[in-house]
Amino acid sequence: MEKTVRRYDLDWLRVIVFALLIFYHVGMFFVPWGWHIKNNETYNWLRWPMAFLNQWRLPILFVISGMGTYYALSKRNLRQFSLERIKRLGIPLLVGMLLIVPPQIYIERIVNSEFVGSYLEFYQKALFRGGTYPKGNISWHHLWFLPYLLCFSLILSPAFIYIKRRETKLISWVKKLIQKPINLYLFIIPLYLLEAFMEPFFDVTHALIDDWFNFSFSIVLFFYGFILIATGQVFWDRLKKIKIKALAIGCFAFLGQAVIWSFFEDGFVIHFTEALLKVINIWSWILVLFGFAAKYLNKPSKKIAYANRAVYPFYILHQTITIIIAYYLIDLNWSFIAKSSILIVGTFGLSWLIYDLIILRIPFLHPLFGLKKNPLSNVAQF
């Protein structure tokens, strides 16, 4: 069995990006875009940081997950890996849909005057009637990442095992390709084709079965994660040389998008230009985050060991906690700073209390929230 070296920078990135997810979902309460419930006042200026964060926060998680799959396949055959993925992703998803997500839907129905009664009445009388959300009340809401990741893992794992156990021409070609660091940007070509030619026809639904653009775009990123980590040190060495340039390119690409959004109407040329800027922006910030994390965060610590294990339960719990707190703030004439501070501190604080005082101390709950028996296994992943 080949020896694998733990990448603490990937652990840190995973923790950081999921922490940003809490900030993002708090922001969704205040931004003018649609969400489950909205504050009594929204803020147009918030669109800019939210738009910036929204473009790369999930793509980098799919790349990290692809990298984590590389390590997971070092210790498992196809059957073992598939069963582990079903258990680690499927059980928390089912628990989330039955216990964690329903309070979000209940509050949304109450706010929109679509249901009157207690939560117990809602759960007994309405949850399992009417089918799936938004018409019905069965949904995975923010947990949509889990079924997608499960599908990607099961679909690609046979190919991944073949690639990993043989020095394939593909890996050799990628190693040769990225000898020039700027060639890392050639990876945007498939992403651009999907963004330019597929995105206009398929809205992002997070419903899996009809979410063709989002599914295709995300599985490519997942595949990239596996392929890049399979090149070994070659990828990390090239990041050292490209990260500063990628930072400049990313800033330019997002600024270009902002100009288009502010001054131009949609059209043929604008669509293809914006699509190019978008994928350049996404890929640039992925390279930037990997590059700087590799330089500054690739070292062990007790903090990352604790935080990395807590990420999955935090992810499962956080949006329900945010929406419950937001429900009691929705009509108060308080400032953005006051409300957002309460939501951020409350979401992090209550998630930590539930995790540390309940989930972590009751072994029966561990598999329900995706906790591994061995928290020291290489590169924790969903």
Side-chain angles (χ1 to χ4, degrees):
M1 182 180 294
E2 65 183 287
K3 183 179 179 181
T4 58
V5 179
R6 188 177 188 92
R7 297 286 319 191
Y8 296 98
D9 49 345
L10 297 184
D11 291 340
W12 273 113
L13 278 177
R14 182 171 173 266
V15 170
I16 290 168
V17 174
F18 274 106
L20 289 174
L21 182 62
I22 293 179
F23 287 95
Y24 181 82
H25 284 153
V26 168
M28 288 298 291
F29 182 56
F30 300 99
V31 81
W33 310 330
W35 199 51
H36 306 295
I37 63 174
K38 305 300 294 185
N39 188 42
N40 57 359
E41 181 180 0
T42 57
Y43 303 88
N44 283 325
W45 63 266
L46 196 57
R47 293 180 302 157
W48 299 106
M50 292 285 287
F52 171 72
L53 183 60
N54 182 55
Q55 288 198 349
W56 54 261
R57 63 185 177 89
L58 286 170
I60 194 173
L61 282 176
F62 280 116
V63 176
I64 293 172
S65 296
M67 292 177 169
T69 299
Y70 178 87
Y71 291 107
L73 288 171
S74 298
K75 303 176 181 178
R76 302 171 181 88
N77 59 32
L78 179 60
R79 179 179 175 276
Q80 292 169 333
F81 175 77
S82 299
L83 290 175
E84 189 271 344
R85 291 289 80 196
I86 292 171
K87 177 182 176 181
R88 188 123 193 273
L89 298 170
I91 292 176
L93 176 62
L94 182 61
V95 170
M97 292 177 66
L98 292 177
L99 299 177
I100 308 300
V101 172
Q104 300 180 38
I105 303 172
Y106 169 69
I107 289 175
E108 181 178 348
R109 301 308 188 204
I110 292 291
V111 169
N112 295 329
S113 300
E114 296 171 342
F115 183 83
V116 177
S118 68
Y119 177 68
L120 182 59
E121 291 173 325
F122 171 79
Y123 200 94
Q124 292 176 333
K125 299 178 181 179
L127 182 62
F128 300 103
R129 297 180 182 177
T132 57
Y133 185 89
K135 292 183 178 180
N137 296 311
I138 294 293
S139 175
W140 46 52
H141 267 38
H142 67 292
L143 302 180
W144 69 268
F145 182 79
L146 302 183
Y148 282 65
L149 190 54
L150 178 59
C151 287
F152 298 167
S153 299
L154 297 179
I155 291 170
L156 291 178
S157 55
F160 283 169
I161 289 176
Y162 179 85
I163 292 170
K164 185 171 174 57
R165 295 180 180 176
R166 297 168 176 82
E167 183 64 23
T168 63
K169 292 182 179 180
L170 175 61
I171 299 302
S172 299
W173 176 77
V174 172
K175 286 181 179 180
K176 184 177 180 181
L177 177 70
I178 63 176
Q179 287 300 320
K180 293 183 178 180
I182 197 64
N183 284 349
L184 283 167
Y185 274 92
L186 294 177
F187 284 84
I188 72 170
I189 294 174
L191 300 175
Y192 175 68
L193 294 175
L194 291 170
E195 183 70 34
F197 295 102
M198 194 173 187
E199 187 273 341
F201 302 103
F202 298 98
D203 292 335
V204 175
T205 66
H206 298 153
L208 188 64
I209 58 173
D210 62 354
D211 198 18
W212 290 106
F213 163 71
N214 185 38
F215 187 95
S216 302
F217 198 87
S218 300
I219 199 172
V220 169
L221 292 164
F222 182 77
F223 180 78
Y224 282 174
F226 187 94
I227 294 302
L228 289 173
I229 204 75
T231 66
Q233 193 59 34
V234 176
F235 173 61
W236 303 106
D237 289 342
R238 298 307 169 265
L239 281 176
K240 295 177 184 178
K241 299 179 179 180
I242 196 68
K243 63 180 185 294
I244 300 298
K245 292 179 181 178
L247 178 61
I249 293 170
C251 291
F252 174 80
F254 186 74
L255 180 61
Q257 289 182 92
V259 170
I260 288 176
W261 298 334
S262 300
F263 300 106
F264 294 90
E265 295 183 1
D266 195 17
F268 184 82
V269 175
I270 293 298
H271 167 72
F272 285 99
T273 303
E274 184 183 0
L276 180 60
L277 291 172
K278 180 180 177 180
V279 295
I280 290 175
N281 182 63
I282 291 171
W283 193 242
S284 293
W285 290 104
I286 289 174
L287 296 179
V288 167
L289 290 167
F290 278 137
F292 281 95
K295 182 175 182 179
Y296 295 107
L297 299 177
N298 192 22
K299 48 191 175 183
S301 74
K302 292 182 179 179
K303 292 180 180 179
I304 190 55
Y306 179 89
N308 196 42
R309 197 169 189 224
V311 161
Y312 202 170
F314 267 58
Y315 164 68
I316 293 170
L317 294 168
H318 82 277
Q319 184 166 288
T320 296
I321 295 172
T322 298
I323 288 179
I324 290 173
I325 298 173
Y327 174 70
Y328 292 99
L329 299 176
I330 194 169
D331 291 322
L332 298 178
N333 293 319
W334 293 0
S335 68
F336 168 77
I337 295 296
K339 287 187 175 183
S340 61
S341 297
I342 291 171
L343 283 170
I344 291 168
V345 173
T347 301
F348 275 104
L350 288 174
S351 296
W352 177 77
L353 286 174
I354 295 171
Y355 167 71
D356 197 82
L357 298 182
I358 300 176
I359 297 172
L360 201 57
R361 299 170 191 270
I362 304 176
F364 170 76
L365 296 178
H366 290 187
L368 306 186
F369 289 88
L371 292 181
K372 290 182 176 180
K373 292 182 179 179
N374 177 17
L376 297 179
S377 59
N378 208 308
V379 184
Q381 51 163 316
F382 284 9

